[in-house]
Amino acid sequence: MHDTLALRGRVVTFRDNPFVTDPVAALHHEEDGLVIIRDGRIERMGAYADTLPHLPAGTQVVHYPDCLISAGFVDTHVHYPQLPMIAAYGEQLLEWLERYTFPTESRFCDPAHAHDIARRFLTELLRCGTTTAAVFCTVHPQSVEAFFTESERLNTLMIAGKVLMDRNAPPDLRDTAQGGYDDSLALMEHWHGRGRQMYAVTPRFAPTSSEEQLELAGALLARDDSVFMQTHLAENVDEVAWVRQLFPARRSYLDVYAHAGLVRPRAILGHAIHVDEPDLATCHDSGCALAHCPTSNLFLGSGSFRLFDAMDPRRPVRVGLGTDIGAGTSLSQLQSLNEAYKIAQGTGHRLHPAQAFWLATAGGARALHLDHRIGTIAPGMEADLCILDPAATPLQALRAQSCDSISDLLFSLMMLGDDRSIRATYVAGRKVHERA
Ligand SMILES: [Zn+2]
């Protein structure tokens, strides 16, 4: 007996990369579409009238007449333990870590606290239409256990890992190079590839790991190509200067990671604001991904990520979108896109709404080398979807009335939308959130 479900509405997805081809042409739009889901995967998608004859008898059809059906959002950089300290006043990166982040993360030695925050975090994520994320836990293995246990319960496709940090941090948040390796290996063996859960080797950033710890992180990755790596790169000018001091022999901040064998496919580097052309060329060649975190970069005054330099078709770098909670100010990728648009404007570029939504869905999946599983609506893809309501508030309803194209409607959503715009969220074909 198969489990089938069908969703009817305006379908938006991608058939191409809108940074390489005409953005409007890359966007695939079905005015009245039908998505047939079977056993957690998309079996068929097309115009309602054409697809209806293929609907298995007895299948429930859920109709969202005024909404858009999109692939679920992908968040390529976020810290679940920092959810309670979102919106912490006044500091830039290094002081912000000392004053707010480390005390908040030290509470995750308590498994009950870790489960509670993991549950709230995943609930919030799904309320925002995000179905996959690359997630930092804390230095405590129990913070990873808690996160994966809660994610497995929801069957969400999540990437997460234990933070490695053996220096320049408070004693209760420090591991050792060998201890961090052993704990990571045990977690990796238990969780990586178990259902939809995937492990990421997670050095916080170069200043809090010794050279020995970074090398052991590289050794962990060398054991299994399918394991992820996540860290931070060149977010803030003081941080970059500190790394230069700590690793004087390396050409650049990125080179610290490259030297340890960390820069490779499925490596996700958060921020990458203060990087140069040779760094971007290394990123292109290696197949790693950069996570653009607009609300965080503006909140901490870190600088402006040069998205269009990174996406240069002559040596394109894989880029995804990150909320970077707790430095980010919203878990909603619509809010990330709002700020990404403004950052692009400030650097002399225009972020087309098709490019923006691609970054939040198909592009994010591609950045993570998961585009064969998630990020688009097509036969065989896993049915992680969000239902977007372009008229969630009276103002948005008014604005939507004047939209004369799907691009304009998407633009109004990314500028005015947030969690209220998410009518429902589906994970592997099962509804996991419905707006009240
Ligand atoms: Zn971060």
Side-chain angles (χ1 to χ4, degrees):
M1 184 63 196
H2 290 288
D3 196 8
T4 58
L5 172 72
L7 307 180
R8 180 181 179 185
R10 261 178 115 163
V11 178
V12 279
T13 188
F14 292 91
R15 292 287 175 263
D16 222 328
N17 178 345
F19 285 89
V20 175
T21 57
D22 171 33
V24 175
L27 182 71
H28 182 90
H29 171 225
E30 208 64 72
E31 185 75 45
D32 182 12
L34 188 67
V35 182
I36 302 176
I37 300 164
R38 187 187 184 103
D39 298 331
R41 282 178 190 274
I42 294 160
E43 185 171 74
R44 198 176 276 271
M45 187 280 279
Y48 177 74
D50 302 339
T51 312
L52 193 61
H54 300 280
L55 193 70
T59 302
Q60 184 200 5
V61 179
V62 185
H63 193 190
Y64 295 104
D66 302 313
C67 292
L68 307 177
I69 302 173
S70 164
F73 295 135
V74 177
D75 188 339
T76 58
H77 182 103
V78 62
H79 304 251
Y80 96 83
Q82 296 178 15
L83 188 68
M85 51 157 288
I86 188 171
Y89 174 76
E91 309 293 352
Q92 290 212 349
L93 177 65
L94 300 176
E95 300 74 28
W96 175 86
L97 281 171
E98 287 286 337
R99 181 162 172 203
Y100 298 112
T101 310
F102 291 154
T104 302
E105 292 193 0
S106 68
R107 293 192 61 196
F108 285 74
C109 58
D110 172 12
H113 180 67
H115 276 275
D116 177 43
I117 300 300
R119 207 174 300 130
R120 290 171 195 257
F121 172 84
L122 286 161
T123 303
E124 280 300 309
L125 214 56
L126 296 169
R127 283 187 65 246
C128 291
T130 298
T131 47
T132 287
V135 182
F136 285 64
C137 301
T138 67
V139 75
H140 316 93
Q142 51 272 45
S143 72
V144 185
E145 282 293 334
F147 181 78
F148 278 135
T149 302
E150 297 299 333
S151 174
E152 187 174 53
R153 202 195 302 277
L154 290 160
N155 196 26
T156 40
L157 197 168
M158 291 285 158
I159 300 161
K162 180 200 115 69
V163 164
L164 298 167
M165 194 154 56
D166 69 346
R167 64 169 172 173
N168 295 320
D172 63 327
L173 283 180
R174 257 183 258 154
D175 55 12
T176 61
Q178 191 60 48
Y181 176 92
D182 295 343
D183 286 344
S184 299
L185 182 59
L187 288 163
M188 197 168 119
E189 286 180 336
H190 185 68
W191 286 106
H192 185 65
R194 175 168 153 160
R196 304 185 81 203
Q197 312 312 312
M198 284 179 286
Y199 196 77
V201 174
T202 309
R204 166 165 243 120
F205 66 154
T208 47
S209 284
S210 64
E211 197 136 19
E212 187 193 357
Q213 181 160 65
L214 293 175
E215 261 155 37
L216 284 175
L220 279 170
L221 292 168
R223 299 174 69 103
D224 185 344
D225 273 354
S226 67
V227 168
F228 289 77
M229 195 288 294
Q230 57 185 350
T231 189
H232 296 85
L233 172 71
E235 176 176 1
N236 165 292
V237 287
D238 292 344
E239 171 211 10
V240 173
W242 193 16
V243 170
R244 195 172 300 130
Q245 224 173 63
L246 291 168
F247 299 89
R250 301 289 162 252
R251 192 202 72 81
S252 68
Y253 193 159
L254 181 68
D255 193 36
V256 173
Y257 297 139
H259 192 262
L262 306 184
V263 180
R264 49 175 240 156
R266 293 174 198 82
I268 314 155
L269 305 159
H271 308 295
I273 293 169
H274 310 284
V275 294
D276 59 13
E277 178 54 35
D279 286 335
L280 291 174
T282 301
C283 291
H284 167 78
D285 292 340
S286 69
C288 75
L290 303 180
H292 176 26
C293 305
T295 73
S296 167
N297 296 161
L298 292 168
F299 181 71
L300 291 179
S302 301
S304 298
F305 177 69
R306 299 192 319 275
L307 173 64
F308 285 83
D309 276 357
M311 303 305 276
D312 188 334
R314 287 168 297 182
R315 50 116 196 79
V317 174
R318 290 168 192 256
V319 177
L321 198 64
T323 60
D324 194 26
I325 295 301
T329 51
S330 171
L331 274 178
S332 168
Q333 290 292 41
L334 298 173
Q335 284 290 294
S336 292
L337 292 177
N338 170 322
E339 303 294 14
Y341 179 79
K342 297 170 192 168
I343 291 171
Q345 284 280 36
T347 56
H349 293 277
R350 197 176 292 168
L351 180 62
H352 190 280
Q355 294 173 324
F357 276 81
W358 182 83
L359 275 179
T361 56
R366 186 174 176 278
L368 302 175
H369 296 258
L370 289 172
D371 45 327
H372 58 298
R373 295 180 58 183
I374 57 164
T376 49
I377 303 178
M381 302 298 283
E382 297 172 28
D384 291 349
L385 303 165
C386 70
I387 312 298
L388 294 158
D389 178 359
T393 69
L395 176 61
Q396 288 170 43
L398 176 67
R399 174 65 177 82
Q401 280 173 17
S402 67
C403 287
D404 56 0
S405 66
I406 187 67
S407 292
D408 193 31
L409 192 63
L410 289 174
F411 189 62
S412 76
L413 257 170
M414 72 187 245
M415 296 315 295
L416 303 174
D418 52 30
D419 57 318
R420 294 170 296 182
S421 313
I422 308 303
R423 176 75 190 279
T425 306
Y426 290 82
V427 161
R430 195 173 64 86
K431 187 160 63 187
V432 288
H433 163 68
E434 177 147 45
R435 194 181 62 198

